[in-house]
Structures are given as structure tokens and as C-alpha cells.
Amino acid sequence: MKQAVVRGALSVFLGAAFPAMAAAADLPVKAPMRATMVSVSDWTGAYVGIVGGYAWGRGHFVGTGTGAGSVNNVSMPGGMIGGRIGYDFNINPNLVLGGVAEVSWADLSG
């Protein structure tokens, strides 16, 4: 009986003196590392495109100089069309080089 009391007192003393020993079993477990998702995209390739549209506008101009005082009302409608062709080369995930040729035409009168 005396030996049980001594053991009990010793464990209370050691538990109070070294609380980190008791907490060591309660350490959190690190979460497993997740695999990093890598975006797989390739911008290498040729492309072709067309553009088109319509423009309109009005202007009110008052002449100066030899035409001082003359009033001109101008309407500026017309269509636009164009195209492009190009090629891009994906050198690495952070760098894309390329070239493009464009041509456009507009028939705006006014």
C-alpha cells in the first residue's frame, strides 16, 4: 500500500513538473501534401480572323478664313472590313512569341 502511494505521488509530481511530456501524445498530425495542379495549355499554332463593321457620324463645321461663316453639315456613314493571320509559339509556360499580319479597309464618306 505504501508503495502505491509513493508511485501515485511520484506520477502527480512528474505530471506537474513536466506537462509537455503528457502533451506530446496530443500533437496534431500534419495533413498530407496535395499534388499541385499544373495547367496544361499550349498556345503554339496558326490563326486566321476577319473583322468587319459599320460606322456613322455627323459633323457641323463653321468655315473660317476664305469661307468664313459658311456652315457645313456632314454625314459620315460607311462600312469597314479586314483580316488577320498570325502564328504563336509557346516557348515555356510563361512566354509566348508570335507574329501577325493585319489589313483593314474602310469606306467612310463625308
Side-chain angles (χ1 to χ4, degrees):
M1 176 79 173
K2 190 174 185 184
Q3 192 176 18
V5 171
V6 171
R7 284 185 184 173
L10 185 60
S11 42
V12 168
F13 171 75
L14 288 176
F18 302 104
M21 289 174 63
D26 300 334
L27 289 176
V29 177
K30 283 190 173 183
M33 295 286 290
R34 286 192 199 179
T36 304
M37 298 298 292
V38 177
S39 175
V40 179
S41 61
D42 188 11
W43 291 88
T44 299
Y47 58 91
V48 176
I50 59 171
V51 295
Y54 186 79
W56 63 92
R58 289 190 186 158
H60 177 80
F61 303 98
V62 177
T64 58
T66 57
S70 63
V71 177
N72 297 311
N73 291 316
V74 179
S75 177
M76 299 169 276
M80 299 176 290
I81 192 165
R84 66 178 56 172
I85 185 170
Y87 187 85
D88 289 333
F89 183 68
N90 200 162
I91 294 177
N92 65 45
N94 298 320
L95 182 62
V96 176
L97 296 179
V100 63
E102 296 181 338
V103 64
S104 295
W105 175 78
D107 183 23
L108 300 175
S109 59

